[in-house]
Amino acid sequence: MADWEGGIISNTKGPQSSTQNTGVLTLNDHMQLKQAARLQLTPIPSATYPDNEGLRAPITVTKTTTTADDSSAYQVYHNDFDSAAAIGTTGRLYIAIKCTTGNGSFGNFYNDLCIGGIQLTSDDYSTLDIGWAFSELTDYTAWEYATVTGMTSAAAGYENLDDIQDAASQTWPSCVAGVSNARISRATGTGSTLTGANNGISTDYSSQNAGTILGSGDTTVDQANNTNFMYTESSGSGAYMSNEWWWIRSPEITLNGESNKNISISIHAFSREALQGGVDISMKDAADNALLRWFWAT
Amino acid sequence: MVLGDIMIAVNQISIDNGIIDFTPIESIAKGDYILLYAGEGILELESPSDASLDTWVAWVVNSYNMLPNTTATATLDGNKMVLTANDDNDLEIYLDLGSL
């Protein structure tokens, strides 16, 4: 049987040279169309996981009336990373953190969300692919932050991955040690009462050190004395940063090719219990108002 | 607003019974920022220049006392800001320090 079909007169316009009559396909043209149709049946691998809107890490925000920085344990978010790993073995993690505090007289300063560390492990938690503990300075400076976020101006924020990547004049320098408003910062303790952690987590959770794995049963991890964390420094009564996003991304990672991955993120969310004018001005997290989302992009 | 080579954290500032001790702050730079809530008053200041700590604390105290409708009064004690009020509930203090 011939591997082409008859009917070279088509009622749809195909690829033509200037010498061809409309609706008349050469055999070669016809075969090209058939091949293109076959190719369309093959899904084109997405370069982003899970999608342009990311995956929310549900976070329990501890509301407080205690002014001091909080010393309670970080909560550990776990998620299956398999699908992301299957997309490609080299890429970056992206994280978007939203300023969900109110913008009344107290401004935005209850939104110091802290990240102690991030790990990628095998799904049985036996192998650590890579672990960052942000008290380890080089773990922190290996990550990069978006310089164009809209948080310091009247410009709109950038909610999704395409938005932040395509922002005009966007750059991604290494995270800067120290503290600056509206920028991902690194500290032990924060400049604000009623929000933020007192310390980070042990540097043992870094690949550079012991590489201790946060297992599936580890839903919390204690703070370690005199350690630093990565956090979203938010200050001031300016309304700009409310409902906008800090963005960070990992260094480029080459996974080991096994599509059995888990991700864990150690998060500390501590915020003032407060209403102002009937409006909750504390940091918050909800399905339709995600405080932290993550992405994988090749 | 630094302590050594790091930004000051509020856990290094003693806040007790209406007294805020700013002594650990080693330097004040232009752009350093304070937001202080006490006695129903909200004070937000950004330092217009580098300053010595005692000058800066005096400026904060004087600025606080210029706020309308506060229920507390601030006085200066060295590098400490001392707030007094008729009701202890008015001595609840929230503080945000940083650099804008």
Side-chain angles (χ1 to χ4, degrees), chain A residues 119-161:
Chain A
Q119 292 189 330
L120 299 181
T121 66
S122 57
D123 60 4
D124 62 357
Y125 294 97
S126 64
T127 304
L128 178 66
D129 282 354
I130 190 163
W132 298 275
F134 294 122
S135 192
E136 193 66 61
L137 181 59
T138 52
D139 280 1
Y140 173 77
T141 56
W143 279 63
E144 300 171 346
Y145 73 102
T147 56
V148 178
T149 61
M151 301 190 91
T152 56
S153 70
Y158 299 93
E159 180 171 7
N160 296 324
L161 189 61

Side-chain angles (χ1 to χ4, degrees), chain A:
Chain A
M1 177 182 286
D3 63 354
W4 52 273
E5 298 171 16
I8 62 171
I9 305 298
S10 171
N11 61 358
T12 58
K13 187 175 182 178
Q16 297 172 13
S17 70
S18 59
T19 59
Q20 288 178 297
N21 295 320
T22 301
V24 178
L25 303 180
T26 66
L27 179 59
N28 195 38
D29 289 338
H30 179 75
M31 294 307 291
Q32 285 180 8
L33 286 173
K34 294 294 290 182
Q35 182 66 17
R38 286 191 198 102
L39 288 174
Q40 286 170 5
L41 296 176
T42 304
I44 298 171
S46 169
T48 301
Y49 173 83
D51 53 37
N52 191 40
E53 296 179 358
L55 194 62
R56 170 186 171 229
I59 294 170
T60 300
V61 179
T62 302
K63 303 290 183 65
T64 183
T65 56
T66 302
T67 56
D69 281 329
D70 180 58
S71 296
S72 60
Y74 283 65
Q75 56 194 290
V76 183
Y77 162 82
H78 295 274
N79 201 274
D80 186 333
F81 193 58
D82 292 3
S83 300
I87 289 173
T89 57
T90 300
R92 296 178 191 269
L93 286 169
Y94 284 75
I95 294 178
I97 302 168
K98 187 175 184 180
C99 183
T100 59
T101 49
N103 55 15
S105 301
F106 283 96
N108 308 291
F109 84 84
Y110 301 121
N111 211 104
D112 290 350
L113 181 113
C114 307
I115 301 177
I118 298 173
Q119 292 189 330
L120 299 181
T121 66
S122 57
D123 60 4
D124 62 357
Y125 294 97
S126 64
T127 304
L128 178 66
D129 282 354
I130 190 163
W132 298 275
F134 294 122
S135 192
E136 193 66 61
L137 181 59
T138 52
D139 280 1
Y140 173 77
T141 56
W143 279 63
E144 300 171 346
Y145 73 102
T147 56
V148 178
T149 61
M151 301 190 91
T152 56
S153 70
Y158 299 93
E159 180 171 7
N160 296 324
L161 189 61
D162 284 351
D163 305 330
I164 197 71
Q165 289 178 324
D166 297 342
S169 304
Q170 185 64 274
T171 59
W172 295 87
S174 293
C175 286
V176 179
V179 176
S180 186
N181 192 27
R183 191 198 70 198
I184 291 291
S185 297
R186 178 178 178 270
T188 177
T190 73
S192 308
T193 56
L194 294 143
T195 186
N198 207 18
N199 285 289
I201 64 172
S202 170
T203 55
D204 285 347
Y205 296 106
S206 166
S207 295
Q208 298 191 58
N209 302 315
T212 304
I213 292 174
L214 287 165
S216 59
D218 293 321
T219 56
T220 62
V221 55
D222 288 341
Q223 295 187 21
N225 284 338
N226 300 316
T227 55
N228 285 264
F229 46 79
M230 170 190 284
Y231 80 106
T232 51
E233 169 59 22
S234 54
S235 285
S237 60
Y240 293 146
M241 67 176 71
S242 277
N243 296 314
E244 298 191 1
W245 294 265
W246 290 266
W247 280 88
I248 49 174
R249 70 181 189 184
S250 73
E252 201 165 65
I253 308 162
T254 299
L255 301 174
N256 64 5
E258 298 171 356
S259 58
N260 61 341
K261 298 279 176 280
N262 275 349
I263 183 173
S264 68
I265 309 174
S266 303
I267 300 164
H268 185 280
F270 185 75
S271 185
R272 183 187 175 201
E273 173 77 73
L275 295 176
Q276 190 173 44
V279 176
D280 182 358
I281 61 169
S282 62
M283 180 163 54
K284 40 201 162 294
D285 176 57
D288 60 353
N289 191 29
L291 185 56
L292 187 150
R293 291 168 296 136
W294 65 276
F295 314 69
W296 169 261
T298 56

Side-chain angles (χ1 to χ4, degrees), chain A residues 190-194 198 236-237, chain B residues 10-11 33 44 94-97:
Chain A
T190 73
S192 308
T193 56
L194 294 143
N198 207 18
S237 60
Chain B
V10 289
N11 57 14
Y33 164 89
E44 186 176 27
Y94 308 136
L95 188 62
D96 184 29
L97 301 171

